[in-house]
Amino acid sequence: MTEPTPETPRTSQFSPAPIPDGRVVANGNTYMANAKGGLDPIETVNAQDLLMDETVRKIVSFALPLQEQIARFKAHTNSDIVALEELLAQEYGAKIGGKKGNMTLLSHDGLFKVTVSVADRIDFGPELQIAKQLLDECLNEWAADAGPELRSIVTRAFNTDKTGQINRSEIFMLLRQDIADERWQQAMKAIRMAMRVVGTASYTRCYRRMSVDAPWQYIAIDLAKA
């Protein structure tokens, strides 16, 4: 009779990265560096801040090697897909994927899937300011007739985010509005003329399902979705 194998203890796939503890020893005294570039005697730092400091450093020490592991995974994944494409092209003269590079790869049993989506990266030229002027004229003239929802979309569309980028999703929402006013139509034309394709972005996503008739489940490699 086979002896039962002892259960392997659970261990992390990677060790935490060494990061500084924020403490400085000088003249036999211990200090903690503060956010202003100075040093605080450790005995003057309250227990709550010490606990927070320890927790943040612990989390970040695991986040850093995880970031490196995800970067390696991304590089290996891209390399594997390119190798598959080259092999099929060499052996069979076949090309997988669509015209822009979109493709879906399936395991033989249909339970695992990898998709590659290639999307244009859009930026906007100076014509966008012309569109904003025309839209402001429309909203000011319509006054009460322009509902709060429409005003909100226009405001959000032209508000820049923290990196100074225009809100693209709201800009595209403006283009879907069915408004016959000639100035509005001119503004939409200006938005379309302002669009510039400045490159492409490729997104690889992995899925699995328990059976061929079960729905696909996205394998999240995103802290917010995991």
Side-chain angles (χ1 to χ4, degrees):
M1 184 175 180
T2 305
E3 291 293 328
T5 303
E7 183 180 353
T8 303
R10 296 183 182 181
T11 58
S12 172
Q13 295 296 315
F14 48 81
S15 301
I19 62 174
D21 63 5
R23 288 162 169 75
V24 176
V25 178
N27 299 322
N29 298 313
T30 302
Y31 301 86
M32 286 194 69
N34 60 42
K36 296 179 181 179
L39 296 174
D40 296 327
I42 195 166
E43 58 268 16
T44 66
V45 181
N46 65 50
Q48 177 181 327
D49 288 343
L50 287 173
L51 179 60
M52 186 184 302
D53 179 87
E54 181 183 348
T55 301
V56 169
R57 292 177 192 278
K58 178 181 178 182
I59 292 171
V60 171
S61 72
F62 281 98
L64 289 172
L66 178 59
Q67 179 190 46
E68 294 175 359
Q69 188 176 24
I70 291 175
R72 289 194 298 271
F73 167 75
K74 181 179 180 180
H76 289 316
T77 298
N78 292 339
S79 177
D80 289 343
I81 291 174
V82 170
L84 175 63
E85 289 180 291
E86 292 176 348
L87 179 62
L88 291 178
Q90 179 181 340
E91 293 293 326
Y92 307 103
K95 181 180 183 300
I96 56 177
K99 188 184 215 179
K100 293 182 68 174
N102 298 325
M103 67 181 75
T104 299
L105 309 175
L106 279 169
S107 64
H108 190 65
D109 60 7
L111 300 182
F112 301 95
K113 176 172 70 171
V114 175
T115 66
V116 178
S117 304
V118 180
D120 290 333
R121 290 173 49 224
I122 304 294
D123 205 349
F124 295 93
E127 297 89 346
L128 198 64
Q129 294 306 313
I130 298 174
K132 185 177 187 309
Q133 293 173 11
L134 290 169
L135 293 177
D136 285 342
E137 288 179 15
C138 290
L139 293 177
N140 290 336
E141 184 175 312
W142 297 340
D145 293 335
E149 296 84 0
L150 184 58
R151 287 185 177 277
S152 178
I153 293 174
V154 173
T155 299
R156 292 197 306 269
F158 292 97
N159 273 348
T160 55
D161 61 20
K162 292 180 180 178
T163 60
Q165 298 296 315
I166 295 295
N167 193 324
R168 291 169 174 76
S169 61
E170 299 294 344
I171 290 285
F172 294 141
M173 189 173 292
L174 281 176
L175 293 171
R176 292 196 291 269
Q177 303 300 313
D178 186 16
I179 298 176
D181 188 285
E182 184 177 349
R183 286 166 303 176
W184 185 279
Q185 293 299 319
Q186 286 295 322
M188 297 304 104
K189 182 178 178 181
I191 289 175
R192 293 185 180 94
M193 291 178 63
M195 291 181 181
R196 311 276 198 273
V197 177
V198 295
T200 58
S202 178
Y203 303 94
T204 302
R205 298 178 176 89
C206 302
Y207 301 84
R208 68 177 177 178
R209 58 185 177 183
M210 303 310 295
S211 64
V212 292
D213 55 355
W216 287 107
Q217 297 175 340
Y218 175 52
I219 301 173
I221 311 177
D222 180 340
L223 193 60
K225 298 177 181 177

